[in-house]
Amino acid sequence: MRDSSRLTRRAALGLTAAALPLAAATPASAATAIGGERLARDGIQAGDASTLPKKLTARSWLIADHKTGEVLASYRAHQRLAPASTLKMLFADTVLGKFEMTRTYRVTDADLADVPSGSSLVGVKPGILYTVHQLWQGVFLRSGNDAVHVLAHMNGGIAATVAEMQAKAKDLQALDTHVVSPDGFDHPGQVSSAYDLTLFARHGLHDEDFSSYCSTRVANFPAGGKKTFQIQNTDRLLSGAYGLRPYPGIIGVKNGYTSHAGNTFTGAATRGGRTLLVTVMHPANGGNEVYKETAALLDWGFGKGSSARAVGTLVDPLSEGGATASPTPSGAKGAPGASGSSASSSSDGSSPWPMLGGAAGAVAVLAGGAFALRRRRAAVAAAKSRDLDGS
């Protein structure tokens, strides 16, 4: 995906209106203590950090047990970063159950008018009749912003869908997340965290349709008339594309890429009756690195981390009886970027990796609707590829 582009006047007004209630969003360097106090700390959190993979470069990551919600290890779990198309998991959590999969809808020009230029597309065309099932295939397999916008318009429009997504995030207690658009495309102020993205995946995987879509490798998509074309899932751990082998036991979930976010990925795999969730955000290099680091964490979780003591937990949704978790205020001791916070924190008070320069957090300031996101390194921008165009 290319850099953020100018929206149409109508789209810009809709997104601005949706963002107004959060005009005083917390800076991206702040952290919450939701899920446990250790998850708000800077540095690696693990029972024994020395056993973790040695070449993790991501600015934030987390590994958790899907069933119990125990966080086995993390690094800056609540750091607020641009999520790219991993935010589509929240879109699915919010909208997926609203329409019958057999329902048909004929797409109009207006449905696609506010799709940002430079978006990843599945190939939705005005005038063609689609089933809701086919549109969701376009969302999950090809990360199609065109399919997202059609479903959002069916749901009452962009602004209404953004508001519902924000409410859903609140119910899931994903308080690091600020939604500006339903597709995950780079927009001022749009942020999430490894913790929140893992919450979205865990919640989604409880839904049979969500699980089915995120694990689908290929599908036929309408091209008009009786013609179709094949679409492939852009999750390389699922498809095995670009020199990677499919990860054993992989069941999804969602990858993403934008020039601001770099690569992001939340993956889930099952082995020996246990399902683990991993989220990796913004590794130093593009291409396959986000998948390699995810696979390394999964290997650790199924191996040396199988008996790891939890350092936190994925909280339950408020609507499902989850206890209300209180956020740590911005600047609180132990929050990344806070004065007095240690450079790293693990079980023995040290980290096996030196701090990455500039990784203390992408500083974002929201003032009068303006929020400047830190651009990725030139090397990352150069490494972007169409199939990883996550929004």
Side-chain angles (χ1 to χ4, degrees), residues 130-219:
Y130 298 89
T131 64
V132 168
H133 171 66
Q134 290 164 337
L135 292 171
W136 280 114
Q137 287 179 322
V139 172
F140 276 91
L141 274 68
R142 296 304 300 177
S143 204
N145 285 7
D146 44 1
V148 169
H149 279 245
V150 171
L151 287 164
H153 281 287
M154 292 174 64
N155 189 51
I158 299 297
T161 300
V162 166
E164 289 183 19
M165 289 173 65
Q166 194 67 62
K168 186 67 173 180
K170 183 177 180 180
D171 176 62
L172 296 175
Q173 305 199 67
L175 302 188
D176 301 321
T177 298
H178 178 201
V179 184
V180 179
S181 70
D183 48 38
F185 194 85
D186 290 327
H187 290 297
Q190 184 145 272
V191 291
S192 191
S193 67
Y195 184 86
D196 286 8
L197 294 175
T198 311
L199 284 180
F200 302 154
R202 187 187 186 211
H203 181 76
L205 288 171
H206 289 305
D207 181 271
E208 184 177 346
D209 288 329
F210 185 108
S211 298
S212 176
Y213 285 126
C214 75
S215 63
T216 300
R217 288 174 168 81
V218 297

Side-chain angles (χ1 to χ4, degrees), residues 22 24-31 80 175-176 178 191 328-331 364-366 371:
L22 291 173
T26 310
S29 59
R80 292 167 182 169
L175 302 188
D176 301 321
H178 178 201
V191 291
T328 296
S330 173
V365 178
L366 184 61
F371 185 102

Side-chain angles (χ1 to χ4, degrees), residues 89-129:
M89 292 187 292
L90 177 60
F91 174 71
D93 287 342
T94 305
V95 181
L96 186 57
K98 289 198 170 189
F99 308 112
E100 291 292 334
M101 294 303 164
T102 55
R103 176 177 169 178
T104 58
Y105 182 80
R106 193 173 301 278
V107 174
T108 68
D109 289 321
D111 294 325
L112 302 174
D114 44 20
V115 176
S117 175
S119 289
S120 56
L121 305 172
V122 65
V124 175
K125 300 297 182 184
I128 295 180
L129 191 69

